[in-house]
Amino acid sequence: MNIVVTGGAGFIGSSLIRHILTNTDMSVINVDKLTYAGNLDSIGVLSKNANYTFEQIDICKPSYLTNIFETYRPEAVMHLAAESHVDRSIDSPDEFILTNIMGTFNLLTQSRLYYETLNDEGKKNFRFHHISTDEVYGDLTGTHDL
């Protein structure tokens, strides 16, 4: 099974990748732009694992995402790439909008286009997971009855 993990050089993404590579036989394609939050050293020795591939790309570039889908034919996408430091959002709100909104939109669009090329079994098994923090999703306290 091929899994694309966006933001895989970040704190949560690298932990996820280490878990997958240590506990499964799945292949991981780590897609990360390597901004301030990305650190490939966080993958450690597992970066030499035969089931690991790193692709330095920006999810805001649809053609790069198309290439990822065509090359690796993933069965799952785990989307963790996000700008998530509130203090940085005050200084550079445009980066947050580009990555968190447009980047996610591009990834969803390219995932849908790829999904449409799959056979019935591939469609049945394909998964898209968006994982993030309250800094991306927002705080639910007081806004919803849970």
Side-chain angles (χ1 to χ4, degrees):
M1 176 179 210
N2 289 339
I3 301 174
V4 168
V5 177
T6 67
F11 177 73
I12 297 170
S14 62
S15 178
L16 172 65
I17 289 172
R18 289 190 312 270
H19 174 79
I20 292 169
L21 293 174
T22 301
N23 297 294
T24 76
D25 62 352
M26 297 177 199
S27 294
V28 175
I29 300 88
N30 178 2
V31 171
D32 200 299
K33 184 179 174 182
L34 292 181
T35 62
Y36 66 92
N39 180 358
L40 286 177
D41 291 338
S42 59
I43 304 298
V45 297
L46 293 174
S47 66
K48 298 187 185 333
N49 187 303
N51 288 341
Y52 175 78
T53 303
F54 173 69
E55 294 282 351
Q56 185 174 355
I57 69 162
D58 183 349
I59 63 171
C60 292
K61 310 276 186 188
S63 62
Y64 294 171
L65 293 172
T66 299
N67 186 55
I68 293 294
F69 283 102
E70 289 175 353
T71 301
Y72 298 104
R73 312 271 318 149
E75 288 85 22
V77 174
M78 299 184 84
H79 177 39
L80 289 87
E83 300 286 341
S84 63
H85 295 277
V86 173
D87 293 344
R88 294 179 64 90
S89 72
I90 294 166
D91 295 332
S92 301
D94 54 329
E95 288 297 319
F96 280 67
I97 290 168
L98 285 173
T99 300
N100 297 354
I101 297 172
M102 292 308 300
T104 299
F105 173 77
N106 287 335
L107 189 58
L108 284 166
T109 299
Q110 295 307 311
S111 294
R112 180 184 51 79
L113 292 171
Y114 169 70
Y115 176 85
E116 290 172 353
T117 70
L118 299 174
N119 63 26
D120 289 341
E121 186 69 18
K123 287 179 179 176
K124 178 181 166 189
N125 294 321
F126 184 79
R127 297 291 180 265
F128 184 102
H129 301 279
H130 187 185
I131 300 114
S132 201
T133 68
D134 64 328
E135 294 162 316
V136 171
Y137 291 127
D139 186 359
L140 292 179
T141 304
T143 60
H144 294 80
D145 293 328
L146 299 176

